[in-house]
Amino acid sequence: MPKNVGGVPSVPFNCQNCSIRKSTICQPLGSNQLEVVETYKSGDRILPAGSLLYREGDSCSELYNLLDGWVALCRYLTSGRRLILDFVLPGGFFGYQTDLMGPMRHEAKCLTDVAVCVFPRRPFPSLLERHPPLALSLIRLQAGDKLSSDNRLTNIGARRARARVAHLLLEFYVRVHRRHPKSGGVVVDLPINQQHIADALGLTNVHVNKALRVLREEGLVSFKSCQLEILDPMRLSEIAEFPPETVLSHL
Amino acid sequence: MPKNVGGVPSVPFNCQNCSIRKSTICQPLGSNQLEVVETYKSGDRILPAGSLLYREGDSCSELYNLLDGWVALCRYLTSGRRLILDFVLPGGFFGYQTDLMGPMRHEAKCLTDVAVCVFPRRPFPSLLERHPPLALSLIRLQAGDKLSSDNRLTNIGARRARARVAHLLLEFYVRVHRRHPKSGGVVVDLPINQQHIADALGLTNVHVNKALRVLREEGLVSFKSCQLEILDPMRLSEIAEFPPETVLSHL
DNA sequence: CGTATCATTGACGTCGGTCAATTCGTGTGG
DNA sequence: CCACACGAATTGACCGACGTCAATGATACG
């Protein structure tokens, strides 16, 4: 089981000192407007690593802001294969889908101990309608999710294994680093194993292992026991066709 | 070049008699509220098959409602490979992205002669902010796009060629049929060729051809000169792991 | 120390890609 | 009406990437 990253999840006493205020849907609200969401929200919750927030097919009455920890959104096919649609990091907003009150189209699984801020689902549209800045904020979040969906689709659909793995690891590096600009290292902790990488990329754990070995022997990147180390950012972003300036701005 | 489907594109004289009013972002507006978008919109436009509305990297000052025809949203990698992110059918709203005024992250190519309703990009957020129902409508559209993104990701990431092709063809069948509930046939016209299927599925045209032959010889589905025919809906939805009730409701 | 989980490696098979030749379909010009 | 051109579809031969299966290590944990 992957280790937790960053210690025990912390739950804010209130929205004022919420650590993710500026990166999630609440972003447009000023300090004096936080009661808008504070009265809607149903509370915070802490879950252990490995637990599920909802399953595919469940009807789920909540929406989630991830306060701390990592969550994987995934699906299971009849073949038994698992596909990881997305990894949610702190600040991520998830659970929203077209058929708002219908069965969930994917599962949400905690990769670490997790803290979430919970909204009730049913009154959510009226919250958005009464507070246009929140609606615009959700639109922005959705557009961002769509972009990363497109990027993942591009990755799986058009690159081969070595480049696919390289691309995903670079994405992890940038996403984690964006949240910890101070820690200047090229090493970051990821609460995942090779099976997660495989399921996110449409590969097998065995082939991911072999691709990782090649990347390591080439001196490009290493991923061992939940530690990701970027060894040669420039060449790595080259073979991954990952925009180099995006990587450089995080070194 | 694939033929046009459904004849010459038609441009409505105004929003009142717009054929896609109820399926696009304007959906929540009653007949007496249409001036809200009518004053914003910059006009309609007709383009020939093969032309581009925008390229990847372009800065584009517009947003589009597809009135008539088919559009493909795609990307090109340095390897020369093309990936089709999505097919837009009449009623689709496209061009919106995270970085609203930044460079486009994909290209929009007309698969047929096309008619679009054009909105200016810059004032769009203020339109949304002043008319919450429009914002909610966009949120709904985005969530629907995200679902089909997830489905496509699942298809490419977790199924093999034969099932992938079957799944995409079923999706086309349902999407086209949804717009023409009257025409009861199992035959629909698609303005695409085998290369498009390949680029949408992360396969090669050669392999798509072979997968199509197998599907045809199995009596499941046939796709020839832009004509798609569903031969055995039940078995087809089975091997594609496509929800059978979705198909049945369109037979 | 026994168990469970994950990582690693090798042998082997298959799916899908590459390359190239041929056919087919459609439109064009003589 | 036929000849030709052009692109798309089709097919076969061959190969490489990736999957499958299974054995072995490594590490953590009770």
Side-chain angles (χ1 to χ4, degrees), chain A residues 7-155:
Chain A
V8 178
S10 60
V11 176
F13 292 113
N14 56 51
C15 291
Q16 289 292 340
N17 56 8
C18 170
S19 59
I20 60 160
R21 241 181 71 192
K22 284 304 172 190
S23 52
T24 186
I25 192 169
C26 312
Q27 177 262 322
L29 300 178
S31 293
N32 54 345
Q33 302 171 298
L34 285 175
E35 58 184 53
V36 164
V37 289
E38 252 167 341
T39 61
Y40 260 96
K41 106 180 229 192
S42 27
D44 295 325
R45 191 178 309 152
I46 291 192
L47 299 104
S51 57
L52 302 180
L53 277 155
Y54 49 82
R55 283 176 221 266
E56 190 174 356
D58 276 5
S59 85
C60 169
S61 59
E62 306 172 326
L63 296 168
Y64 306 96
N65 264 318
L66 187 55
L67 296 169
D68 205 353
W70 284 46
V71 170
L73 308 182
C74 48
R75 285 181 170 178
Y76 297 86
L77 300 208
T78 58
S79 61
R81 216 175 197 318
R82 176 178 72 172
L83 193 96
I84 296 182
L85 295 170
D86 207 356
F87 295 92
V88 187
L89 269 63
F93 175 73
F94 63 101
Y96 197 93
Q97 59 177 19
T98 323
D99 187 3
L100 191 60
M101 299 311 293
M104 297 306 297
R105 310 297 303 255
H106 61 264
E107 164 182 307
K109 186 187 183 94
C110 301
L111 296 176
T112 64
D113 292 348
V114 150
V116 285
C117 154
V118 182
F119 285 97
R121 192 176 275 267
R122 190 178 295 281
F124 200 72
S126 90
L127 171 65
L128 296 176
E129 194 149 18
R130 283 191 243 173
H131 301 281
L134 284 183
L136 287 201
S137 177
L138 178 55
I139 288 172
R140 178 189 310 276
L141 291 181
Q142 284 180 312
D145 281 353
K146 184 58 163 58
L147 177 59
S148 53
S149 260
D150 286 350
N151 290 340
R152 182 157 293 113
L153 197 62
T154 306
N155 200 23

Side-chain angles (χ1 to χ4, degrees), chain B residues 35-70:
Chain B
E35 58 183 52
V36 164
V37 289
E38 253 168 339
T39 60
Y40 260 96
K41 104 179 232 192
S42 28
D44 296 324
R45 190 179 308 153
I46 291 192
L47 299 104
S51 57
L52 303 180
L53 277 156
Y54 49 82
R55 283 176 220 266
E56 191 174 355
D58 276 4
S59 86
C60 168
S61 59
E62 307 172 325
L63 297 168
Y64 306 97
N65 264 318
L66 187 55
L67 296 170
D68 205 352
W70 285 45

Side-chain angles (χ1 to χ4, degrees), chain A residues 75 77-79 81-86 96-98 105-106 125-126 128-130 132-136 138-140 142-147 149-159 200-203 241 243, chain B residues 75 77-79 81-86 96-98 105-106 125-126 128-130 132-136 138-140 142-147 149-159 200-203 241 243:
Chain A
R75 285 181 170 178
L77 300 208
T78 58
S79 61
R81 216 175 197 318
R82 176 178 72 172
L83 193 96
I84 296 182
L85 295 170
D86 207 356
Y96 197 93
Q97 59 177 19
T98 323
R105 310 297 303 255
H106 61 264
S126 90
L128 296 176
E129 194 149 18
R130 283 191 243 173
L134 284 183
L136 287 201
L138 178 55
I139 288 172
R140 178 189 310 276
Q142 284 180 312
D145 281 353
K146 184 58 163 58
L147 177 59
S149 260
D150 286 350
N151 290 340
R152 182 157 293 113
L153 197 62
T154 306
N155 200 23
I156 296 190
R159 284 189 265 263
L201 295 178
L203 299 169
E241 300 182 82
Chain B
R75 286 181 171 177
L77 300 209
T78 57
S79 60
R81 216 178 198 315
R82 176 178 73 170
L83 192 97
I84 297 182
L85 295 171
D86 208 356
Y96 197 93
Q97 59 177 18
T98 323
R105 308 298 302 255
H106 61 264
S126 91
L128 296 175
E129 193 150 17
R130 283 192 244 174
L134 283 184
L136 288 200
L138 178 55
I139 287 172
R140 179 189 309 276
Q142 284 180 312
D145 281 353
K146 184 57 163 55
L147 178 59
S149 261
D150 285 350
N151 289 341
R152 181 156 294 115
L153 196 62
T154 306
N155 201 22
I156 297 190
R159 282 189 265 263
L201 295 178
L203 299 169
E241 298 182 82

Side-chain angles (χ1 to χ4, degrees), chain B residues 73-243:
Chain B
L73 308 182
C74 49
R75 286 181 171 177
Y76 298 86
L77 300 209
T78 57
S79 60
R81 216 178 198 315
R82 176 178 73 170
L83 192 97
I84 297 182
L85 295 171
D86 208 356
F87 295 92
V88 187
L89 269 63
F93 176 73
F94 63 101
Y96 197 93
Q97 59 177 18
T98 323
D99 187 2
L100 191 60
M101 299 312 293
M104 297 307 296
R105 308 298 302 255
H106 61 264
E107 164 182 307
K109 187 186 181 92
C110 300
L111 296 176
T112 64
D113 293 349
V114 150
V116 284
C117 155
V118 182
F119 285 95
R121 192 175 275 266
R122 190 177 295 279
F124 201 72
S126 91
L127 172 65
L128 296 175
E129 193 150 17
R130 283 192 244 174
H131 301 281
L134 283 184
L136 288 200
S137 177
L138 178 55
I139 287 172
R140 179 189 309 276
L141 292 180
Q142 284 180 312
D145 281 353
K146 184 57 163 55
L147 178 59
S148 54
S149 261
D150 285 350
N151 289 341
R152 181 156 294 115
L153 196 62
T154 306
N155 201 22
I156 297 190
R159 282 189 265 263
R160 48 194 39 181
R162 192 181 65 130
R164 253 187 251 185
V165 173
H167 196 278
L168 182 65
L169 293 181
L170 273 176
E171 184 197 326
F172 280 139
Y173 175 73
V174 171
R175 289 181 73 185
V176 172
H177 226 264
R178 187 169 293 148
R179 305 205 70 250
H180 305 286
K182 42 206 121 204
S183 64
V186 291
V187 180
V188 298
D189 292 316
L190 307 181
I192 60 170
N193 60 29
Q194 298 181 2
Q195 186 67 56
H196 292 111
I197 298 180
D199 292 340
L201 295 178
L203 299 169
T204 59
N205 54 351
V206 175
H207 202 70
V208 166
N209 182 282
K210 287 167 181 170
L212 282 173
R213 178 156 65 97
V214 172
L215 288 169
R216 190 184 337 120
E217 286 171 356
E218 290 176 316
L220 297 174
V221 60
S222 128
F223 177 65
K224 261 182 181 300
S225 54
C226 300
Q227 287 226 324
L228 170 67
E229 183 174 8
I230 306 293
L231 301 172
D232 188 337
M234 290 318 290
R235 274 211 301 145
L236 190 58
S237 65
E238 209 171 294
I239 74 151
E241 298 182 82
F242 195 99

